[in-house]
Amino acid sequence: MVDLDEYRAKSLQNWDSFSGNWADEHAFLHEATGGVARALVDGLDPQPGQTILELAAGTGDVGFAVAERLGDAGKLIQTDFAPGMVEQEKRLAADAGLSNIEHRVMDAENMDLEDSSVDGVVVRYGYMLMADPAAALSETKRVLRDGGKLSFAVWTAPDRNLWAFIPAFALVEAGHLDPPDPEAPGIFALADPDRVRSMVTVAGFTEPEIEEVTVDWDYTDPAVHWEKTMKLAAPIADAINDLPDDERERIKGVVADRVAEKVAGDPTAMHGHSWVVTTS
Ligand SMILES: C[S@@+](CC[C@H](N)C(=O)[O-])C[C@H]1O[C@@H](n2cnc3c(N)ncnc32)[C@H](O)[C@@H]1O
């Protein structure tokens, strides 16, 4: 059984320490996950003048596309619980010339916002990593005005996301990670669409629309897959970084062999697949 307080503290420390990597890889992420960002923004359908909240924004890619639609009279409240991520997203927003964004450090499970104070909420790859996603969804419902839309993305099943499953499975197989508990927070915690549907409706939202969208990770070269995983997939990279050097090298070899075998059969085998969920 996962100790959720311990998980929360570790997750915060971990994501904060990965904020520089995420900023370095902003263009790579923007390119690979563009289809998901477009589906989220279409689902949210932000209008000029609205106030939109982004949770777990990381370095802010999706929110920047939303902010462009809101105009000077609108506002994006862009938030993350990791101060390092918020600093990076602030810098990248300034570089992009976006001036209608308020940046805040905020935990999505406990939001410092008034009831019914935003017109819409967007979250990419956030809820499944939170210690208590049900609490975060219920907080989301509280701050959203009546009829306001929520648009979010999570990862689908492990066999549709070999980019993460191959290294995670190598760690489990070697006894470095416990076999995943499907209810515990993690990359695949909301992979089951029935669980998503149930959590969303229990939090008071309408029956969601759930669409599968591909993420075009360019991981035909196992060395690139390893480098990006170690820079971006914080929960996996953290477990690998904890290993002694020789064991880390062994795991790296196992992962490289499996990635090479998969992409030899299908060059798109390492692409990712996300659920894009829209509700109100
Ligand atoms: C996989 S990254 C996604 C970043 C960004 N949304 C994107 O798609 O580019 C996950 C982000 O969730 C944030 N996060 C995790 N748990 C959180 C929580 N309880 N409240 C707010 N942010 C959280 C992390 O700090 C990290 O920036």
Side-chain angles (χ1 to χ4, degrees):
M1 182 91 179
V2 177
D3 177 327
L4 293 182
D5 287 334
E6 212 174 277
Y7 171 85
R8 212 174 261 118
K10 180 96 196 308
S11 176
L12 171 56
Q13 184 195 36
N14 206 11
W15 284 109
D16 201 47
S17 70
F18 274 69
S19 56
N21 289 350
W22 272 65
D24 290 348
E25 296 294 336
H26 191 79
F28 170 80
L29 286 164
H30 176 77
E31 182 72 27
T33 58
V36 175
R38 282 189 290 280
L40 286 168
V41 177
D42 286 353
L44 187 69
D45 192 24
Q47 299 298 315
Q50 286 188 329
T51 297
I52 300 291
L53 170 67
E54 182 176 19
L55 300 171
T59 44
D61 186 48
V62 177
F64 295 167
V66 171
E68 281 170 13
R69 300 247 195 133
L70 299 175
D72 289 341
K75 178 171 79 169
L76 174 71
I77 307 172
Q78 193 163 49
T79 68
D80 197 284
F81 76 164
M85 288 289 187
V86 176
E87 275 315 303
Q88 297 290 355
E89 117 208 336
K90 203 185 278 182
R91 188 179 58 75
L92 288 161
D95 290 352
L98 293 163
S99 55
N100 58 353
I101 306 183
E102 179 188 324
H103 304 274
R104 282 208 212 175
V105 175
M106 195 177 81
D107 190 332
E109 293 179 53
N110 182 15
M111 301 184 203
D112 180 19
L113 286 171
E114 298 288 316
D115 294 358
S116 309
S117 55
V118 302
D119 297 300
V121 180
V122 68
V123 195
R124 185 173 70 180
Y125 308 138
Y127 285 127
M128 74 279 173
L129 300 171
M130 293 174 195
D132 187 350
L137 279 161
S138 143
E139 272 291 85
T140 305
K141 185 68 186 162
R142 180 184 69 74
V143 303
L144 194 54
R145 70 159 166 78
D146 255 10
K149 284 193 180 170
L150 165 64
S151 186
F152 67 94
V154 292
W155 294 106
T156 68
D159 63 348
R160 302 282 289 149
N161 287 288
L162 296 179
W163 63 273
F165 176 68
I166 288 176
F169 183 71
L171 290 167
V172 172
E173 213 178 26
H176 302 310
L177 281 184
D178 290 333
D181 165 357
E183 305 270 300
I187 295 174
F188 297 119
L190 290 173
D192 175 358
D194 288 339
R195 183 161 195 239
V196 171
R197 223 172 256 119
S198 152
M199 277 203 161
V200 160
T201 51
V202 166
F205 289 98
T206 56
E207 189 66 26
E209 280 180 31
I210 304 183
E211 175 196 1
E212 193 189 70
V213 181
T214 301
V215 173
D216 299 330
W217 297 132
D218 183 7
Y219 289 160
T220 45
D221 178 348
V224 174
H225 166 259
W226 183 263
E227 183 213 328
K228 302 291 185 192
T229 302
M230 293 304 288
K231 283 187 88 175
L232 297 168
I236 296 172
D238 184 47
I240 293 173
N241 282 328
D242 279 349
L243 301 175
D245 291 350
D246 54 344
E247 180 59 359
R248 192 180 318 119
E249 282 307 303
R250 193 190 68 77
I251 294 282
K252 183 178 176 180
V254 169
V255 170
D257 289 348
R258 290 178 184 169
V259 170
E261 188 190 326
K262 289 290 177 191
V263 295
D266 171 7
T268 69
M270 301 302 286
H271 281 183
H273 296 90
S274 299
W275 297 127
V276 171
V277 183
T278 312
T279 184
S280 58

